[in-house]
């Protein structure tokens, strides 16, 4: 496995790979890697001749500068994990390499960029599109791999790819959870022992709500989830939206969509740590 810090060095290596007819898979990450990331890398290795993993904490997608400063950075450990997964190249640039000049581009794809995370984190998805598009231009991958934990992010990236006319296939990968059900996230490393004990209740309530939804309305299911999680000391729901899985628009009646997803963000602990998750209620077209 080779580690690159400069765009030109990575592109020279990829040029040689393309001359050999090798396909290229890209796994964009912000580091602090875990088993969820590892599953994306292993799938890319299986499906492509060369797998590139970017490790870059992107400043333009943080609307809270404190959140940026506390985001975990563990490049050495990340590289060990990536090598064990079979990654070929790691791209770990500094900010000036990715943004040699300020990125003045503005990406907006309503309604997918304006609801949920878009409403609660102004500018977040613009920053995501800035960095992901730059990585796509740098690497020119055949396929790019993203975890379903960030359900809305995948919808945004698909909209961006279509808008920019990029020839890359977006591969959605199943969410990975720990043995207690907590969705794998780099932010989990910031949880205390006590917080790790209560955080799995988020998914427990979401799972319970699937059964509850069979005999209750969308509105009742929404309130069941919010009230149940907020009743747990140390957990506080920021939002819970039950939406069409493609448009991300609110669903009022269960049979109005063939793909219904509940997307949630919960603050955990005293710090607090912001955790996201989702549950699928209707999966005919998901």
């Amino acid at each position: 496995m080779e580690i690159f810090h400069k765009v030109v060095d990575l592109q020279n290596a990829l040029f040689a790979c393309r001359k050999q007819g090798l396909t290229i898979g890209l796994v964009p990450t912000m580091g602090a890697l875990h088993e969820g990331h590892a599953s994306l890398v292993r799938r890319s290795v299986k499906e492509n001749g060369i797998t590139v993993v970017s490790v870059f904490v992107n400043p333009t997608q943080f609307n809270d500068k404190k959140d940026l400063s506390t985001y975990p950075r563990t490049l050495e450990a990340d590289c060990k994990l990536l090598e064990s997964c079979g990654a070929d190249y790691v791209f770990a640039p500094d900010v000036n390499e990715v943004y040699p000049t300020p990125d003045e581009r503005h990406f907006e794809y309503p309604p997918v960029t304006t609801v949920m995370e878009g409403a609660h984190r102004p500018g977040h998805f613009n920053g995501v599109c800035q960095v992901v598009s730059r990585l796509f231009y740098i690497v020119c991958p055949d396929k790019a791999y993203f975890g379903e934990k960030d359900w809305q992010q995948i919808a945004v990236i698909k909209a961006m790819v279509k808008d920019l006319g990029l020839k890359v296939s977006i591969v959605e990968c199943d969410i990975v959870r720990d043995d207690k059900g907590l969705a794998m996230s780099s932010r989990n490393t910031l949880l205390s022992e006590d917080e790790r004990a209560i955080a799995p209740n988020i998914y427990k309530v979401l799972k319970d709500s699937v059964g509850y939804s069979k005999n209750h309305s969308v509105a009742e299911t929404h309130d069941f989830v919010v009230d149940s999680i907020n009743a747990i000391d140390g957990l506080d729901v920021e939002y819970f939206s039950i939406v069409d899985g493609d448009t991300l628009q609110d669903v009022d009646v269960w049979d109005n969509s063939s793909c219904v997803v509940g997307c949630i963000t919960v603050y955990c602990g005293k710090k607090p740590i912001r955790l996201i998750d989702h549950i699928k209620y209707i999966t005919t077209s998901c």
Side-chain angles (χ1 to χ4, degrees), residues 90-144:
V90 175
F91 181 47
D94 62 25
V95 173
N96 291 332
E97 192 69 16
V98 176
Y99 299 109
T101 59
D103 195 331
E104 303 295 340
R105 297 175 301 160
H106 184 71
F107 297 88
E108 195 69 74
Y109 304 110
V112 296
T113 54
T114 57
V115 298
M116 297 190 296
E117 292 294 283
H120 288 84
R121 301 176 68 186
H124 170 68
F125 285 125
N126 186 59
V128 169
C129 288
Q130 286 178 343
V131 72
V132 173
S133 62
R134 283 178 178 260
L135 289 171
F136 285 173
Y137 288 135
I138 290 168
V139 177
C140 295
D142 297 284
K143 296 180 180 180

Side-chain angles (χ1 to χ4, degrees), residues 81 109 115 148 154 168 181 205-206 214 232 242 250 254 268:
L81 175 62
Y109 304 110
V115 298
E148 284 189 346
I154 292 175
V168 55
V205 171
L206 290 176
K214 303 302 181 184
I232 300 169
I242 299 177
D250 289 338
W254 292 117
C268 180

Side-chain angles (χ1 to χ4, degrees), residues 256-275:
N256 278 359
S257 172
S258 58
C259 177
V260 180
V261 182
C263 298
I264 196 165
T265 294
V266 180
Y267 287 105
C268 180
K270 296 180 179 180
K271 298 177 185 177
I273 307 302
R274 193 172 186 271
L275 303 175

